[in-house]
Amino acid sequence: MLRNVGLRKSVEQPVLDLNFAAAGALDSRITFSRGTSATFVGSNGLIQTAGNSAARFDHDPVTNTPRGLLIEEARTNDATQSEIFAAQSGCTIVSNNNLAPDGTTTADTLTLDTSTGPKQVKASPNPTNSNSVSYALSVFAKLINGTPNLVFRGYGNGGSGEYPIFDLANKTVVRNGTAWSNAKVEDYGNGWLRCSAVTTATNTNGPIIQFLASGDETGTTSYTGNGTDAIAFWGAQQEQGSFPTSYIKTTGSSATRNADVATMGPTTGGTELVVNGTFDTNSDWNLPSGGEVTIAGGQLSFTSAGQFKTAQQDDNSKFVVGRRYRGSFDVTSYTSGGVKMQYREGSGATVIAQTDAQTSTGTYTFDFTCSDIADNRVQIMTTGSGTTNTFEIDNVSVRELYPFEAYNPSEGTYYIHSKRSTDVNSRFYILNAIADGVSPADQMYLWHWDGSATTVRWKIEDGGVASSDSTRTTTLDADMRLAAPYKSNDASLALNGSAASTDTSVTVPPIDKIAFGYAEDPSNFFLNGHIKQVSYYARRLSNKTLEALTDD
């Protein structure tokens, strides 16, 4: 869907339009896996759980506005009882007496007593940690009475001025502290705030959460309690990393949420390259003499055929060097012997790719890359010894591999609307279009390299060699509307209404798969945020159109 209404008359509609925020569901062509359950905010504003390998369509917990498809890296919550807290000193606790952010009555309320000293609480049991490791600590907190502030301490980083202070009444961070970073307060509605911060441990003593007296922004952690200030707690999480991710519930042991992996393709598209692959006529195929291989009744029949007997078709002018293809055939009737389909080059002498020898009915496929069009061949060949090969073949096909059927291998434009959940300067990928399983990599990828601060990049590689690298600058947690085109010697990148200059030295690689919000190669660099929409236009849109398309 075009964002700029004025463009509708001058630009065709996209041939692919994945509006994750509006649809709240995956297109049937997308393959999704995670292997574990995971949490997200539902349309009712409450934290919910998605089952194993179910995609998460997240919402703003306050406005209930759809955020789109949530893609995150794998993380582990080391707090083994994330919804159980213990009063360590200076306060009393009542368990399971408040509605939690998931709508259950599982939040614990801690109230200051009137003693003098630190007022602190821990998860029960408190998570253990390793020295010199960076941890993101987070907890959900809700003011019940008074306006006490909150601090994170522990990990050897709780000295004067070192720790972060959270102002729960004003929903703000008072300070990061000198030994912590990335302190953040997120509003989850109904009074609930998720407080988080990151530190690198200097010992193995674990985290501590402490109350401060109402209005204290200096961090006086030892004082006389008033006996009334109270905060509800829920959802403790300690995870290795430089920023927090979605809540991971634990009930007795640490728990891991696996990474979200969403891909589209490979599938076949374009023109059928085999002529008469359905054997409607007795033509177009080179058959051996002797009558043991025949075409009749819409079938290619092998009857007591010897080993290595072939039905061949030369396809010299139909393939494109460097492009990816899929061959397939049906064994519709089988008696004995064996059969395989091959793609050959070099006067038919060199086998580039083939299926295994098949000995039963079914549909069989193989993928290959064309490297030479001087003399190539597609053939069906017997593999059984002697004259045992008796079977029938139909639906022989070779078509180009695309990520989706309407993909244009020569030129096109991606439109992506996404937003990260953090502004931490870490490497992440928004979209990775690749040639599946090909090494060195043929790919196009929209990403941020952590060595380039706030730069988002559209990079195109052919055979592992970069031929284009267009860049735009933004804040890393910005709402990003990007348009990334490709064409031979013609690429650019637009971000929120501003396009880079045209790159006139571009080699377009063969693409047959798209990874959403992460990279297939190199792996493990995830968006850690939301993809609202991905659209694709089957031609290279002008830079002026790119700017209008991405302008808010």
Side-chain angles (χ1 to χ4, degrees):
M1 180 175 64
L2 291 171
R3 290 186 45 75
N4 191 312
V5 176
L7 288 175
R8 293 183 184 276
K9 295 181 181 179
S10 60
V11 180
E12 72 276 12
Q13 293 297 296
V15 296
L16 178 72
D17 193 9
L18 306 173
N19 195 327
F20 298 120
L26 289 181
D27 185 283
S28 61
R29 293 167 290 184
I30 294 177
T31 299
F32 183 87
S33 65
R34 188 180 52 247
T36 62
S37 62
T39 65
F40 67 101
V41 177
S43 58
N44 59 359
L46 299 177
I47 292 177
Q48 300 179 18
T49 299
N52 288 9
S53 292
R56 295 179 289 169
F57 295 92
D58 205 27
H59 295 75
D60 184 290
V62 177
T63 66
N64 297 343
T65 302
R67 287 173 166 170
L69 176 65
L70 177 57
I71 299 289
E72 292 183 303
E73 64 189 65
R75 286 290 183 90
T76 298
N77 187 359
D78 300 323
T80 59
Q81 289 281 8
S82 60
E83 296 172 11
I84 298 178
F85 292 83
Q88 189 179 29
S89 64
C91 53
T92 59
I93 185 169
V94 178
S95 300
N96 299 327
N97 74 328
N98 258 292
L99 284 176
D102 66 348
T104 63
T105 309
T106 52
D108 300 343
T109 301
L110 286 101
T111 303
L112 298 188
D113 60 24
T114 56
S115 64
T116 300
K119 320 298 181 186
Q120 57 194 43
V121 59
K122 292 183 177 181
S124 181
N126 210 39
T128 59
N129 68 277
S130 299
N131 195 13
S132 303
V133 173
S134 292
Y135 292 95
L137 178 67
S138 59
V139 68
F140 291 87
K142 178 179 180 179
L143 284 176
I144 300 301
N145 196 47
T147 56
N149 289 339
L150 202 64
V151 301
F152 287 174
R153 300 182 73 180
Y155 304 107
N157 297 324
S160 177
E162 290 185 338
Y163 48 83
I165 300 176
F166 303 94
D167 183 338
L168 302 183
N170 293 302
K171 305 178 182 180
T172 59
V173 174
V174 175
R175 74 178 190 201
N176 265 293
T178 58
W180 295 67
S181 63
N182 303 321
K184 189 175 183 180
V185 174
E186 297 174 88
D187 193 342
Y188 269 73
N190 194 32
W192 282 104
L193 306 174
R194 193 186 193 195
C195 301
S196 62
V198 177
T199 192
T200 299
T202 59
N203 64 24
T204 59
N205 293 341
I208 300 171
I209 302 168
Q210 290 186 323
F211 288 66
L212 296 181
S214 295
D216 183 357
E217 296 188 352
T218 62
T220 303
T221 56
S222 181
Y223 60 97
T224 301
N226 60 15
T228 58
D229 282 356
I231 301 175
F233 290 96
W234 185 82
Q237 187 153 308
Q238 174 187 284
E239 51 190 314
Q240 292 188 27
S242 58
F243 52 87
T245 62
S246 61
Y247 174 56
I248 304 169
K249 181 175 180 175
T250 60
T251 56
S253 62
S254 62
T256 297
R257 179 200 63 245
N258 289 344
D260 300 285
V261 177
T263 61
M264 178 179 284
T267 190
T268 52
T271 303
E272 173 59 62
L273 301 181
V274 173
V275 179
N276 191 30
T278 54
F279 306 102
D280 297 323
T281 61
N282 187 9
S283 61
D284 305 302
W285 289 87
N286 299 321
L287 306 179
S289 60
E292 52 200 335
V293 184
T294 60
I295 295 175
Q299 302 282 335
L300 173 65
S301 299
F302 292 77
T303 306
S304 299
Q307 191 176 35
F308 307 137
K309 295 295 181 179
T310 62
Q312 303 172 353
Q313 190 169 121
D314 295 329
D315 295 284
N316 298 350
S317 63
K318 298 176 182 177
F319 292 90
V320 178
V321 172
R323 297 274 180 87
R324 297 273 293 158
Y325 298 89
R326 174 167 292 166
S328 64
F329 72 106
D330 294 342
V331 180
T332 58
S333 175
Y334 176 82
T335 301
S336 59
V339 60
K340 63 172 59 175
M341 182 177 175
Q342 296 180 326
Y343 169 71
R344 290 173 171 254
E345 294 177 348
S347 300
T350 304
V351 177
I352 301 300
Q354 61 186 348
T355 64
D356 294 333
Q358 305 302 329
T359 58
S360 62
T361 59
T363 298
Y364 304 100
T365 66
F366 67 106
D367 298 342
F368 62 91
T369 302
C370 174
S371 57
D372 182 9
I373 60 170
D375 195 352
N376 48 22
R377 176 181 300 164
V378 172
Q379 66 181 32
I380 303 295
M381 185 180 75
T382 62
T383 60
S385 59
T387 57
T388 61
N389 298 285
T390 299
F391 39 76
E392 292 182 330
I393 305 298
D394 198 3
N395 300 319
V396 180
S397 173
V398 175
R399 295 178 68 189
E400 195 164 346
L401 279 175
Y402 296 159
F404 50 92
E405 285 192 4
Y407 181 78
N408 185 344
S410 300
E411 61 175 297
T413 302
Y414 293 96
Y415 168 79
I416 305 98
H417 185 187
S418 68
K419 190 177 190 303
R420 293 190 80 212
S421 299
T422 175
D423 61 357
V424 171
N425 183 26
S426 59
R427 184 179 300 192
F428 64 91
Y429 285 71
I430 302 168
L431 183 137
N432 184 206
I434 64 170
D436 189 34
V438 174
S439 181
D442 289 328
Q443 61 180 335
M444 298 184 279
Y445 48 105
L446 191 57
W447 72 309
H448 164 75
W449 175 48
D450 47 313
S452 60
T454 58
T455 301
V456 176
R457 313 172 77 167
W458 173 235
K459 196 167 185 177
I460 299 174
E461 290 184 357
D462 180 64
V465 178
S467 66
S468 178
D469 190 2
S470 302
T471 63
R472 294 283 83 191
T473 301
T474 182
T475 56
L476 298 183
D477 62 346
D479 197 53
M480 293 186 286
R481 295 176 175 86
L482 300 124
Y486 65 90
K487 187 178 181 180
S488 179
N489 299 325
D490 187 5
S492 183
L493 173 64
L495 168 64
N496 294 345
S498 173
S501 59
T502 299
D503 190 333
T504 58
S505 179
V506 181
T507 301
V508 177
I511 296 298
D512 57 27
K513 187 177 182 180
I514 297 173
F516 300 96
Y518 83 104
E520 287 255 320
D521 181 27
S523 60
N524 301 320
F525 294 108
F526 288 79
L527 174 63
N528 292 303
H530 303 87
I531 300 177
K532 298 182 179 182
Q533 184 175 359
V534 175
S535 300
Y536 173 83
Y537 300 84
R539 68 180 180 91
R540 200 286 198 207
L541 302 180
S542 69
N543 284 9
K544 182 179 180 180
T545 303
L546 301 181
E547 290 179 341
L549 192 63
T550 60
D551 189 9
D552 193 22

